[in-house]
Amino acid sequence: MATVNIFPNADVGNTWTISSGSDAYAMLTSDGSGNVSSDSADIYATAVGEFCSVQMQDLNAGLSGATINYVRPIVKHNNATRGQTYEIVMKITTSGTVYYAESTGTVNANSLWQTTGFTTRTTSDGSNPWTFSEINGLTLDLVLNAHSGGTTGITYAYYTIGYTEAADNNAVFFGTNF
């Protein structure tokens, strides 16, 4: 099984503060420096309810015949203010439909970015496998759900897509009589 990461490529909606530039999605494509205080490419918030929704890249057209085995969201986040806690809710969505929502749970402040690999989702609706068109319509929503103080930031967000390549029907079969 192969994997590919797809990253944000457009803003859908955003109320988080953007550290530089004017696009939230651009701040979520950098893996960050490791130290929260020295990272200059992130989005951040200080109040519960702030949200960010970003459109994700399409899968390479060369993979259109592939079988999608899973979707797994990854988010790198933090609040470096000593003694504070926060919670981020991540939603896998498309065109307003929420496929899955999941929380980081309560996270304690730390001077380094914290990476959350959310649950690997093998179906889009609980029973049917993901389709290529569903993957190409994905958005990622991030909501600051709880916040005790300080500044909570996100520097990196993407989906890892697990897939099986389409079989090559033109393969040569050895031992075949012609």
Side-chain angles (χ1 to χ4, degrees), residues 94-158:
T94 187
S95 302
T97 299
V98 177
Y99 289 116
Y100 297 98
E102 189 174 351
S103 164
T104 58
T106 300
V107 181
N108 294 315
N110 190 303
S111 63
L112 301 176
W113 290 107
Q114 307 298 304
T115 301
T116 299
F118 291 95
T119 302
T120 299
R121 303 295 180 170
T122 58
T123 65
S124 60
D125 63 2
S127 59
N128 294 305
W130 292 96
T131 66
F132 195 78
S133 61
E134 285 172 328
I135 298 299
N136 283 346
L138 285 178
T139 55
L140 177 65
D141 294 359
L142 301 163
V143 180
L144 187 57
N145 195 52
H147 186 261
S148 66
T151 301
T152 298
I154 301 173
T155 192
Y156 203 34
Y158 60 94

Short mmCIF file of all heavy atoms in Angstrom, two decimals, residues 94-158:
data_model
loop_
_atom_site.label_atom_id
_atom_site.label_comp_id
_atom_site.label_asym_id
_atom_site.label_seq_id
_atom_site.Cartn_x
_atom_site.Cartn_y
_atom_site.Cartn_z
N THR A 94 -16.67 17.96 3.41
CA THR A 94 -16.72 18.31 2.00
C THR A 94 -18.05 18.98 1.73
O THR A 94 -19.09 18.50 2.17
CB THR A 94 -16.51 17.09 1.07
OG1 THR A 94 -16.42 17.55 -0.28
CG2 THR A 94 -17.61 16.08 1.18
N SER A 95 -18.02 20.11 1.08
CA SER A 95 -19.24 20.85 0.70
C SER A 95 -20.25 20.93 1.84
O SER A 95 -21.45 20.75 1.65
CB SER A 95 -19.89 20.21 -0.52
OG SER A 95 -19.00 20.18 -1.59
N GLY A 96 -19.78 21.17 3.05
CA GLY A 96 -20.66 21.33 4.19
C GLY A 96 -21.05 20.03 4.88
O GLY A 96 -21.67 20.06 5.94
N THR A 97 -20.75 18.89 4.28
CA THR A 97 -21.04 17.60 4.90
C THR A 97 -19.89 17.20 5.80
O THR A 97 -18.74 17.20 5.37
CB THR A 97 -21.25 16.51 3.83
OG1 THR A 97 -22.35 16.88 3.00
CG2 THR A 97 -21.51 15.16 4.46
N VAL A 98 -20.19 16.89 7.05
CA VAL A 98 -19.16 16.45 7.98
C VAL A 98 -19.11 14.92 7.94
O VAL A 98 -20.08 14.24 8.28
CB VAL A 98 -19.44 16.92 9.43
CG1 VAL A 98 -18.39 16.39 10.39
CG2 VAL A 98 -19.49 18.44 9.48
N TYR A 99 -17.97 14.39 7.49
CA TYR A 99 -17.78 12.94 7.49
C TYR A 99 -17.46 12.46 8.90
O TYR A 99 -18.02 11.49 9.38
CB TYR A 99 -16.64 12.53 6.56
CG TYR A 99 -16.95 12.68 5.09
CD1 TYR A 99 -16.24 13.57 4.31
CD2 TYR A 99 -17.94 11.92 4.48
CE1 TYR A 99 -16.49 13.70 2.95
CE2 TYR A 99 -18.21 12.05 3.13
CZ TYR A 99 -17.48 12.94 2.37
OH TYR A 99 -17.75 13.07 1.03
N TYR A 100 -16.49 13.12 9.54
CA TYR A 100 -16.05 12.74 10.88
C TYR A 100 -15.63 13.98 11.64
O TYR A 100 -15.10 14.93 11.06
CB TYR A 100 -14.86 11.77 10.83
CG TYR A 100 -15.18 10.46 10.17
CD1 TYR A 100 -14.85 10.23 8.84
CD2 TYR A 100 -15.82 9.44 10.87
CE1 TYR A 100 -15.16 9.02 8.23
CE2 TYR A 100 -16.12 8.24 10.26
CZ TYR A 100 -15.79 8.04 8.94
OH TYR A 100 -16.10 6.84 8.34
N ALA A 101 -15.83 13.97 12.96
CA ALA A 101 -15.32 15.02 13.85
C ALA A 101 -14.62 14.32 15.00
O ALA A 101 -15.09 13.29 15.50
CB ALA A 101 -16.45 15.89 14.36
N GLU A 102 -13.49 14.88 15.40
CA GLU A 102 -12.71 14.27 16.46
C GLU A 102 -11.94 15.35 17.20
O GLU A 102 -11.50 16.33 16.60
CB GLU A 102 -11.74 13.25 15.85
CG GLU A 102 -11.02 12.41 16.84
CD GLU A 102 -10.19 11.32 16.16
OE1 GLU A 102 -10.29 11.10 14.94
OE2 GLU A 102 -9.41 10.68 16.88
N SER A 103 -11.72 15.15 18.48
CA SER A 103 -11.04 16.13 19.32
C SER A 103 -9.63 15.68 19.68
O SER A 103 -9.36 14.48 19.79
CB SER A 103 -11.86 16.31 20.60
OG SER A 103 -11.10 16.94 21.59
N THR A 104 -8.77 16.66 19.90
CA THR A 104 -7.43 16.35 20.43
C THR A 104 -7.52 15.90 21.88
O THR A 104 -6.57 15.36 22.42
CB THR A 104 -6.52 17.60 20.40
OG1 THR A 104 -7.14 18.65 21.16
CG2 THR A 104 -6.23 18.05 18.98
N GLY A 105 -8.67 16.15 22.51
CA GLY A 105 -8.76 15.98 23.95
C GLY A 105 -8.07 17.17 24.60
O GLY A 105 -7.56 18.06 23.92
N THR A 106 -8.05 17.23 25.90
CA THR A 106 -7.40 18.34 26.59
C THR A 106 -5.89 18.20 26.44
O THR A 106 -5.32 17.16 26.75
CB THR A 106 -7.77 18.37 28.08
OG1 THR A 106 -9.20 18.51 28.18
CG2 THR A 106 -7.09 19.51 28.81
N VAL A 107 -5.25 19.26 25.94
CA VAL A 107 -3.80 19.26 25.72
C VAL A 107 -3.17 20.28 26.66
O VAL A 107 -3.65 21.42 26.77
CB VAL A 107 -3.47 19.62 24.25
CG1 VAL A 107 -1.96 19.60 24.02
CG2 VAL A 107 -4.17 18.68 23.28
N ASN A 108 -2.12 19.88 27.35
CA ASN A 108 -1.38 20.79 28.22
C ASN A 108 -0.36 21.59 27.44
O ASN A 108 0.23 21.09 26.48
CB ASN A 108 -0.66 20.00 29.32
CG ASN A 108 -1.62 19.33 30.26
OD1 ASN A 108 -2.60 19.93 30.70
ND2 ASN A 108 -1.38 18.08 30.57
N ALA A 109 -0.15 22.83 27.86
CA ALA A 109 0.84 23.70 27.21
C ALA A 109 2.21 23.05 27.21
O ALA A 109 2.55 22.27 28.10
CB ALA A 109 0.89 25.04 27.94
N ASN A 110 2.99 23.38 26.18
CA ASN A 110 4.34 22.84 26.02
C ASN A 110 5.11 23.80 25.13
O ASN A 110 4.52 24.47 24.29
CB ASN A 110 4.25 21.45 25.37
CG ASN A 110 5.55 20.71 25.38
OD1 ASN A 110 6.56 21.19 24.86
ND2 ASN A 110 5.54 19.52 25.94
N SER A 111 6.42 23.86 25.27
CA SER A 111 7.21 24.78 24.46
C SER A 111 7.44 24.28 23.04
O SER A 111 7.90 25.02 22.19
CB SER A 111 8.57 25.05 25.11
OG SER A 111 9.31 23.85 25.19
N LEU A 112 7.09 23.02 22.76
CA LEU A 112 7.24 22.46 21.42
C LEU A 112 5.88 22.18 20.80
O LEU A 112 4.89 22.00 21.50
CB LEU A 112 8.05 21.16 21.48
CG LEU A 112 9.45 21.29 22.06
CD1 LEU A 112 10.10 19.92 22.16
CD2 LEU A 112 10.30 22.23 21.23
N TRP A 113 5.84 22.12 19.47
CA TRP A 113 4.61 21.76 18.78
C TRP A 113 4.24 20.33 19.12
O TRP A 113 5.09 19.48 19.28
CB TRP A 113 4.80 21.90 17.27
CG TRP A 113 4.92 23.31 16.79
CD1 TRP A 113 6.06 23.92 16.36
CD2 TRP A 113 3.89 24.27 16.72
NE1 TRP A 113 5.79 25.22 16.02
CE2 TRP A 113 4.46 25.47 16.22
CE3 TRP A 113 2.53 24.26 17.02
CZ2 TRP A 113 3.72 26.63 16.02
CZ3 TRP A 113 1.79 25.43 16.81
CH2 TRP A 113 2.38 26.58 16.32
N GLN A 114 2.95 20.08 19.25
CA GLN A 114 2.40 18.75 19.53
C GLN A 114 1.73 18.25 18.26
O GLN A 114 0.93 18.97 17.66
CB GLN A 114 1.37 18.83 20.66
CG GLN A 114 1.88 19.50 21.92
CD GLN A 114 3.04 18.75 22.53
OE1 GLN A 114 2.93 17.57 22.83
NE2 GLN A 114 4.17 19.42 22.69
N THR A 115 2.03 17.03 17.85
CA THR A 115 1.42 16.47 16.64
C THR A 115 0.35 15.47 17.02
O THR A 115 0.61 14.55 17.79
CB THR A 115 2.47 15.79 15.76
OG1 THR A 115 3.47 16.75 15.40
CG2 THR A 115 1.85 15.22 14.49
N THR A 116 -0.85 15.66 16.48
CA THR A 116 -1.94 14.71 16.69
C THR A 116 -2.24 14.03 15.37
O THR A 116 -2.59 14.69 14.40
CB THR A 116 -3.21 15.41 17.22
OG1 THR A 116 -2.91 16.03 18.48
CG2 THR A 116 -4.36 14.43 17.38
N GLY A 117 -2.09 12.72 15.37
CA GLY A 117 -2.54 11.90 14.25
C GLY A 117 -3.91 11.37 14.63
O GLY A 117 -4.03 10.55 15.54
N PHE A 118 -4.93 11.89 13.99
CA PHE A 118 -6.30 11.49 14.33
C PHE A 118 -6.58 10.09 13.80
O PHE A 118 -5.76 9.49 13.10
CB PHE A 118 -7.29 12.52 13.78
CG PHE A 118 -7.22 13.84 14.48
CD1 PHE A 118 -6.45 14.88 13.97
CD2 PHE A 118 -7.90 14.06 15.67
CE1 PHE A 118 -6.36 16.10 14.61
CE2 PHE A 118 -7.82 15.28 16.33
CZ PHE A 118 -7.06 16.30 15.79
N THR A 119 -7.75 9.56 14.10
CA THR A 119 -8.13 8.21 13.73
C THR A 119 -8.07 8.00 12.22
O THR A 119 -8.53 8.85 11.45
CB THR A 119 -9.56 7.91 14.23
OG1 THR A 119 -9.59 8.09 15.66
CG2 THR A 119 -9.99 6.50 13.90
N THR A 120 -7.52 6.87 11.81
CA THR A 120 -7.50 6.48 10.41
C THR A 120 -8.91 6.06 10.02
O THR A 120 -9.49 5.18 10.66
CB THR A 120 -6.51 5.31 10.20
OG1 THR A 120 -5.21 5.76 10.58
CG2 THR A 120 -6.49 4.82 8.78
N ARG A 121 -9.45 6.70 9.00
CA ARG A 121 -10.84 6.44 8.56
C ARG A 121 -10.82 5.67 7.26
O ARG A 121 -10.36 6.16 6.23
CB ARG A 121 -11.60 7.75 8.39
CG ARG A 121 -11.64 8.61 9.64
CD ARG A 121 -12.40 7.93 10.76
NE ARG A 121 -12.42 8.77 11.94
CZ ARG A 121 -13.16 8.52 12.99
NH1 ARG A 121 -13.94 7.46 13.01
NH2 ARG A 121 -13.13 9.31 14.03
N THR A 122 -11.34 4.44 7.28
CA THR A 122 -11.32 3.59 6.10
C THR A 122 -12.55 3.75 5.21
O THR A 122 -12.57 3.24 4.09
CB THR A 122 -11.18 2.11 6.50
OG1 THR A 122 -12.26 1.77 7.37
CG2 THR A 122 -9.84 1.87 7.21
N THR A 123 -13.56 4.42 5.72
CA THR A 123 -14.78 4.64 4.93
C THR A 123 -15.20 6.10 5.05
O THR A 123 -14.87 6.78 6.02
CB THR A 123 -15.95 3.76 5.41
OG1 THR A 123 -16.30 4.16 6.75
CG2 THR A 123 -15.59 2.28 5.39
N SER A 124 -15.97 6.57 4.09
CA SER A 124 -16.46 7.94 4.15
C SER A 124 -17.74 8.06 4.96
O SER A 124 -18.04 9.12 5.49
CB SER A 124 -16.70 8.49 2.74
OG SER A 124 -17.67 7.70 2.07
N ASP A 125 -18.48 6.97 5.07
CA ASP A 125 -19.78 7.02 5.75
C ASP A 125 -20.00 5.89 6.74
O ASP A 125 -21.12 5.63 7.15
CB ASP A 125 -20.90 7.03 4.71
CG ASP A 125 -20.93 5.75 3.88
OD1 ASP A 125 -20.11 4.84 4.13
OD2 ASP A 125 -21.78 5.66 2.97
N GLY A 126 -18.95 5.21 7.12
CA GLY A 126 -19.09 4.11 8.07
C GLY A 126 -19.21 2.76 7.41
O GLY A 126 -19.07 1.73 8.07
N SER A 127 -19.50 2.72 6.09
CA SER A 127 -19.62 1.41 5.43
C SER A 127 -19.05 1.39 4.01
O SER A 127 -18.65 0.33 3.55
CB SER A 127 -21.07 0.94 5.42
OG SER A 127 -21.89 1.87 4.74
N ASN A 128 -19.04 2.50 3.32
CA ASN A 128 -18.55 2.53 1.93
C ASN A 128 -17.15 3.10 1.85
O ASN A 128 -16.85 4.10 2.50
CB ASN A 128 -19.49 3.36 1.05
CG ASN A 128 -20.86 2.71 0.93
OD1 ASN A 128 -20.96 1.56 0.55
ND2 ASN A 128 -21.89 3.46 1.30
N PRO A 129 -16.29 2.49 1.03
CA PRO A 129 -14.93 3.01 0.90
C PRO A 129 -14.93 4.42 0.31
O PRO A 129 -15.86 4.83 -0.37
CB PRO A 129 -14.26 2.03 -0.07
CG PRO A 129 -15.24 0.98 -0.41
CD PRO A 129 -16.55 1.34 0.20
N TRP A 130 -13.87 5.15 0.60
CA TRP A 130 -13.69 6.48 0.02
C TRP A 130 -13.61 6.38 -1.49
O TRP A 130 -13.07 5.42 -2.02
CB TRP A 130 -12.40 7.11 0.53
CG TRP A 130 -12.40 7.46 1.97
CD1 TRP A 130 -11.91 6.71 2.99
CD2 TRP A 130 -12.90 8.65 2.56
NE1 TRP A 130 -12.08 7.36 4.19
CE2 TRP A 130 -12.70 8.57 3.95
CE3 TRP A 130 -13.52 9.80 2.06
CZ2 TRP A 130 -13.07 9.57 4.84
CZ3 TRP A 130 -13.89 10.80 2.94
CH2 TRP A 130 -13.67 10.68 4.31
N THR A 131 -14.13 7.39 -2.18
CA THR A 131 -13.99 7.45 -3.63
C THR A 131 -12.99 8.55 -3.98
O THR A 131 -12.71 9.44 -3.18
CB THR A 131 -15.34 7.77 -4.31
OG1 THR A 131 -15.74 9.10 -3.94
CG2 THR A 131 -16.42 6.76 -3.93
N PHE A 132 -12.47 8.46 -5.19
CA PHE A 132 -11.53 9.46 -5.68
C PHE A 132 -12.17 10.85 -5.65
O PHE A 132 -11.56 11.82 -5.23
CB PHE A 132 -11.09 9.08 -7.10
CG PHE A 132 -9.88 9.80 -7.58
CD1 PHE A 132 -8.62 9.42 -7.17
CD2 PHE A 132 -9.99 10.87 -8.46
CE1 PHE A 132 -7.48 10.08 -7.61
CE2 PHE A 132 -8.87 11.54 -8.91
CZ PHE A 132 -7.61 11.14 -8.49
N SER A 133 -13.43 10.95 -6.06
CA SER A 133 -14.09 12.27 -6.08
C SER A 133 -14.33 12.80 -4.66
O SER A 133 -14.25 14.00 -4.44
CB SER A 133 -15.40 12.22 -6.87
OG SER A 133 -16.30 11.32 -6.28
N GLU A 134 -14.59 11.93 -3.69
CA GLU A 134 -14.72 12.40 -2.30
C GLU A 134 -13.40 12.96 -1.80
O GLU A 134 -13.38 14.02 -1.16
CB GLU A 134 -15.17 11.26 -1.38
CG GLU A 134 -16.63 10.89 -1.53
CD GLU A 134 -16.99 9.63 -0.76
OE1 GLU A 134 -16.15 8.72 -0.61
OE2 GLU A 134 -18.16 9.57 -0.33
N ILE A 135 -12.31 12.27 -2.08
CA ILE A 135 -10.99 12.74 -1.65
C ILE A 135 -10.70 14.09 -2.28
O ILE A 135 -10.19 15.01 -1.63
CB ILE A 135 -9.89 11.72 -2.00
CG1 ILE A 135 -10.13 10.39 -1.30
CG2 ILE A 135 -8.50 12.27 -1.70
CD1 ILE A 135 -10.12 10.44 0.21
N ASN A 136 -11.02 14.25 -3.56
CA ASN A 136 -10.73 15.51 -4.25
C ASN A 136 -11.65 16.65 -3.83
O ASN A 136 -11.42 17.79 -4.23
CB ASN A 136 -10.76 15.32 -5.76
CG ASN A 136 -9.50 14.64 -6.25
OD1 ASN A 136 -8.51 14.54 -5.53
ND2 ASN A 136 -9.54 14.17 -7.47
N GLY A 137 -12.63 16.39 -3.01
CA GLY A 137 -13.50 17.45 -2.51
C GLY A 137 -13.29 17.75 -1.03
O GLY A 137 -14.05 18.52 -0.44
N LEU A 138 -12.27 17.15 -0.42
CA LEU A 138 -12.10 17.29 1.02
C LEU A 138 -11.72 18.69 1.47
O LEU A 138 -10.95 19.39 0.80
CB LEU A 138 -11.01 16.34 1.53
CG LEU A 138 -11.37 14.87 1.64
CD1 LEU A 138 -10.17 14.06 2.12
CD2 LEU A 138 -12.56 14.65 2.55
N THR A 139 -12.28 19.07 2.60
CA THR A 139 -11.84 20.25 3.34
C THR A 139 -11.47 19.77 4.74
O THR A 139 -11.82 18.66 5.14
CB THR A 139 -12.93 21.34 3.40
OG1 THR A 139 -14.13 20.78 3.95
CG2 THR A 139 -13.24 21.91 2.03
N LEU A 140 -10.76 20.60 5.45
CA LEU A 140 -10.37 20.31 6.83
C LEU A 140 -10.80 21.49 7.68
O LEU A 140 -10.44 22.63 7.39
CB LEU A 140 -8.85 20.11 6.93
CG LEU A 140 -8.27 19.88 8.32
CD1 LEU A 140 -8.78 18.56 8.90
CD2 LEU A 140 -6.75 19.86 8.26
N ASP A 141 -11.61 21.23 8.69
CA ASP A 141 -12.07 22.26 9.61
C ASP A 141 -11.39 22.08 10.95
O ASP A 141 -11.29 20.96 11.46
CB ASP A 141 -13.59 22.18 9.81
CG ASP A 141 -14.38 22.48 8.56
OD1 ASP A 141 -13.78 22.79 7.52
OD2 ASP A 141 -15.62 22.39 8.62
N LEU A 142 -10.94 23.19 11.52
CA LEU A 142 -10.26 23.19 12.83
C LEU A 142 -10.93 24.22 13.72
O LEU A 142 -11.03 25.40 13.34
CB LEU A 142 -8.78 23.52 12.65
CG LEU A 142 -8.02 22.56 11.73
CD1 LEU A 142 -6.72 23.17 11.27
CD2 LEU A 142 -7.81 21.23 12.42
N VAL A 143 -11.42 23.79 14.89
CA VAL A 143 -12.15 24.67 15.80
C VAL A 143 -11.48 24.63 17.17
O VAL A 143 -11.21 23.55 17.70
CB VAL A 143 -13.63 24.23 15.93
CG1 VAL A 143 -14.38 25.14 16.88
CG2 VAL A 143 -14.31 24.17 14.57
N LEU A 144 -11.21 25.81 17.72
CA LEU A 144 -10.71 25.88 19.10
C LEU A 144 -11.90 25.69 20.01
O LEU A 144 -12.74 26.57 20.17
CB LEU A 144 -10.01 27.22 19.35
CG LEU A 144 -9.30 27.36 20.68
CD1 LEU A 144 -8.25 26.26 20.88
CD2 LEU A 144 -8.64 28.73 20.79
N ASN A 145 -11.98 24.50 20.61
CA ASN A 145 -13.16 24.09 21.36
C ASN A 145 -13.07 24.42 22.84
O ASN A 145 -14.08 24.61 23.50
CB ASN A 145 -13.38 22.59 21.16
CG ASN A 145 -14.74 22.14 21.59
OD1 ASN A 145 -15.73 22.70 21.16
ND2 ASN A 145 -14.79 21.13 22.44
N ALA A 146 -11.86 24.44 23.39
CA ALA A 146 -11.63 24.79 24.79
C ALA A 146 -10.30 25.51 24.87
O ALA A 146 -9.37 25.20 24.11
CB ALA A 146 -11.63 23.55 25.67
N HIS A 147 -10.22 26.48 25.80
CA HIS A 147 -9.01 27.30 25.86
C HIS A 147 -8.97 27.97 27.23
O HIS A 147 -9.83 28.77 27.56
CB HIS A 147 -9.08 28.35 24.75
CG HIS A 147 -7.86 29.17 24.62
ND1 HIS A 147 -7.75 30.43 25.15
CD2 HIS A 147 -6.68 28.92 24.01
CE1 HIS A 147 -6.56 30.92 24.86
NE2 HIS A 147 -5.90 30.02 24.18
N SER A 148 -7.95 27.64 28.05
CA SER A 148 -7.90 28.20 29.39
C SER A 148 -7.12 29.51 29.46
O SER A 148 -7.20 30.22 30.46
CB SER A 148 -7.29 27.19 30.37
OG SER A 148 -5.93 26.95 30.06
N GLY A 149 -6.37 29.85 28.42
CA GLY A 149 -5.61 31.09 28.40
C GLY A 149 -4.42 31.00 27.47
O GLY A 149 -4.14 29.95 26.90
N GLY A 150 -3.71 32.11 27.32
CA GLY A 150 -2.55 32.13 26.43
C GLY A 150 -2.98 32.16 24.97
O GLY A 150 -4.08 32.59 24.63
N THR A 151 -2.09 31.69 24.10
CA THR A 151 -2.35 31.69 22.66
C THR A 151 -2.16 30.27 22.13
O THR A 151 -1.11 29.67 22.30
CB THR A 151 -1.39 32.64 21.94
OG1 THR A 151 -1.56 33.96 22.47
CG2 THR A 151 -1.63 32.65 20.44
N THR A 152 -3.19 29.76 21.47
CA THR A 152 -3.13 28.44 20.86
C THR A 152 -2.88 28.61 19.37
O THR A 152 -3.52 29.43 18.73
CB THR A 152 -4.44 27.66 21.10
OG1 THR A 152 -4.59 27.47 22.52
CG2 THR A 152 -4.43 26.32 20.41
N GLY A 153 -1.93 27.84 18.84
CA GLY A 153 -1.58 27.95 17.44
C GLY A 153 -1.59 26.61 16.72
O GLY A 153 -1.53 25.55 17.34
N ILE A 154 -1.70 26.69 15.40
CA ILE A 154 -1.60 25.52 14.53
C ILE A 154 -0.63 25.89 13.42
O ILE A 154 -0.75 26.95 12.79
CB ILE A 154 -2.97 25.13 13.93
CG1 ILE A 154 -3.97 24.83 15.04
CG2 ILE A 154 -2.82 23.94 12.98
CD1 ILE A 154 -5.40 24.60 14.55
N THR A 155 0.34 25.02 13.15
CA THR A 155 1.35 25.31 12.14
C THR A 155 1.35 24.35 10.95
O THR A 155 1.92 24.65 9.92
CB THR A 155 2.77 25.35 12.75
OG1 THR A 155 3.67 25.89 11.81
CG2 THR A 155 3.24 23.97 13.18
N TYR A 156 0.69 23.20 11.08
CA TYR A 156 0.78 22.19 10.04
C TYR A 156 -0.48 21.36 10.08
O TYR A 156 -0.90 20.90 11.16
CB TYR A 156 2.00 21.31 10.33
CG TYR A 156 2.61 20.55 9.18
CD1 TYR A 156 2.65 21.04 7.89
CD2 TYR A 156 3.21 19.31 9.41
CE1 TYR A 156 3.27 20.33 6.86
CE2 TYR A 156 3.84 18.60 8.40
CZ TYR A 156 3.85 19.12 7.12
OH TYR A 156 4.47 18.41 6.12
N ALA A 157 -1.11 21.14 8.94
CA ALA A 157 -2.31 20.32 8.88
C ALA A 157 -2.40 19.68 7.49
O ALA A 157 -2.20 20.37 6.49
CB ALA A 157 -3.55 21.16 9.15
N TYR A 158 -2.65 18.39 7.47
CA TYR A 158 -2.74 17.70 6.18
C TYR A 158 -3.47 16.38 6.37
O TYR A 158 -3.74 15.95 7.49
CB TYR A 158 -1.36 17.47 5.57
CG TYR A 158 -0.41 16.63 6.41
CD1 TYR A 158 -0.30 15.26 6.20
CD2 TYR A 158 0.37 17.21 7.40
CE1 TYR A 158 0.57 14.50 6.96
CE2 TYR A 158 1.24 16.44 8.17
CZ TYR A 158 1.34 15.08 7.94
OH TYR A 158 2.19 14.32 8.70
#
